[in-house]
Every structure is written in C-alpha cells, then in structure tokens.
Amino acid sequence: MSGTTPLRHLQIGGTYNVRDIGGYTTTDGRQTRWRTYLRADSLHKLTQEGQQELLDTGLKTIIDLRRERETVKTPNIFASSDAVDYRHMNLITDTDPDGYGNPGEGAAWIARSYKILLDERKPEIGAIMSTLADPEVVPALFHCAGGADRTGIIAALLLSLAGVPEETIAED
C-alpha cells in the first residue's frame, strides 16, 4: 500500500496484470470499494508467494473466464483448491464465432469482437454478473488469459453499474 490508498496494480508473483477496480469515483461522488473485485491475467504461473498474497487479500472466489481448452492447457492453480471457490465460467465459446474477423484489423476487430460477445453471450454474462453480485462471493477475482479483453468487459459492466463515468471506465 502507498500511504492509506491501496495500490491499483498488484505485483503478484507469477502474474503480470492483476488490478483492483476499487477506488474509482462515481458520478454521485462515492467511490468503488477497494479489494472487492480484482481482475487478472491467467493464474497458472502463480508462485507460492503469489498464491499466498492473493489469499491474504481475503479472496473468496475466483472466476475463470477462459475457454475450456485454455483451462486444460494452462490450469488455474486454484482450480482444485479448498482455500477459494473456483468457478469456470467461459465467457466466449470454445469455437470461434463467425464475424470476429482478423485480429490484424486492430481497433475495428476489437470493437467487433466485444459487440459480438455482448450480443451473443448474454446468458453467460448474466450468470457471471449474478455471481459477482452475491455478497457471499466477494472479495472475488475474475480473470482470462491476459487480463484485458474478457476481464475488461466484466470490469466495465461492474464499474458502469456502480456509476463510474464512461471516460474512467474506458481508461481502466
């Protein structure tokens, strides 16, 4: 921690993108709670120290947003843990949906893929958001492979529901 303000970017051994979505000011002047929701990259390389650091945050639940094949290739270290409630909640299909296009298209490809996810994966998004809304599951960490796209969508929805301005959400 830096003074009395927690760090947004957590340096956790075996990860490179663990962020807290707490501390953002909402449009009505309140603030999102620290250490309630963490977003992250894949946890398959967590060190023993990194595992303990996450557990020391009070973490209760881990939601793995990755595809089934990703969880097989690089299993989450907490998948069979008794220390946290691990839930695999695949945000995207295990087959590539039509319409994504070519990743080489840059921003247009990203925008199109996000739109497809939001339009075609509503039941999955609803289940993830319902899980995160349960006070019994927090503090919770949700992650994908890189901690940017799939986690970014969930983080944006959570921050939007909390009333965080769109500019702040886009920056996050």
Side-chain angles (χ1 to χ4, degrees):
M1 294 222 281
S2 172
T4 59
T5 303
L7 296 174
R8 178 157 325 282
H9 292 269
L10 305 177
Q11 301 301 313
I12 305 289
T15 67
Y16 58 87
N17 190 12
V18 178
R19 292 184 270 162
D20 192 325
I21 65 169
Y24 287 120
T25 303
T26 63
T27 55
D28 63 2
R30 294 178 298 144
Q31 213 177 52
T32 57
R33 281 185 287 172
W34 289 101
R35 300 302 187 259
T36 303
Y37 297 113
L38 302 175
R39 59 182 284 185
D41 59 299
S42 181
L43 303 180
H44 70 283
K45 291 185 177 181
L46 268 176
T47 63
Q48 286 291 105
E49 295 81 15
Q51 291 174 53
Q52 191 57 54
E53 288 174 81
L54 283 177
L55 293 173
D56 288 347
T57 67
L59 192 65
K60 291 183 182 178
T61 308
I62 293 177
I63 297 176
D64 189 336
L65 304 172
R66 297 176 303 154
R67 294 176 171 172
E68 184 71 30
R69 66 179 180 239
E70 291 174 290
T71 66
V72 169
K73 183 177 178 183
T74 54
N76 184 303
I77 287 188
F78 290 108
S80 59
S81 172
D82 293 331
V84 296
D85 179 15
Y86 169 84
R87 301 180 190 199
H88 178 231
M89 302 180 84
N90 186 350
L91 182 56
I92 57 179
T93 65
D94 280 310
T95 59
D96 292 319
D98 293 332
Y100 273 110
N102 180 344
E105 296 172 11
W109 174 78
I110 291 171
R112 187 170 43 256
S113 64
Y114 283 17
K115 182 180 181 327
I116 289 169
L117 281 176
L118 290 167
D119 288 344
E120 295 182 6
R121 301 297 282 176
K122 290 175 187 174
E124 290 77 10
I125 291 170
I128 292 162
M129 297 301 286
S130 291
T131 299
L132 291 170
D134 181 350
E136 297 297 316
V137 306
V138 293
L141 178 147
F142 50 97
H143 77 91
C144 60
D149 297 318
R150 289 169 274 188
T151 60
I153 287 171
I154 300 302
L157 291 170
L158 288 169
L159 292 170
S160 179
L161 286 170
V164 172
E166 287 181 14
E167 302 79 41
T168 304
I169 294 170
E171 196 174 294
D172 178 76

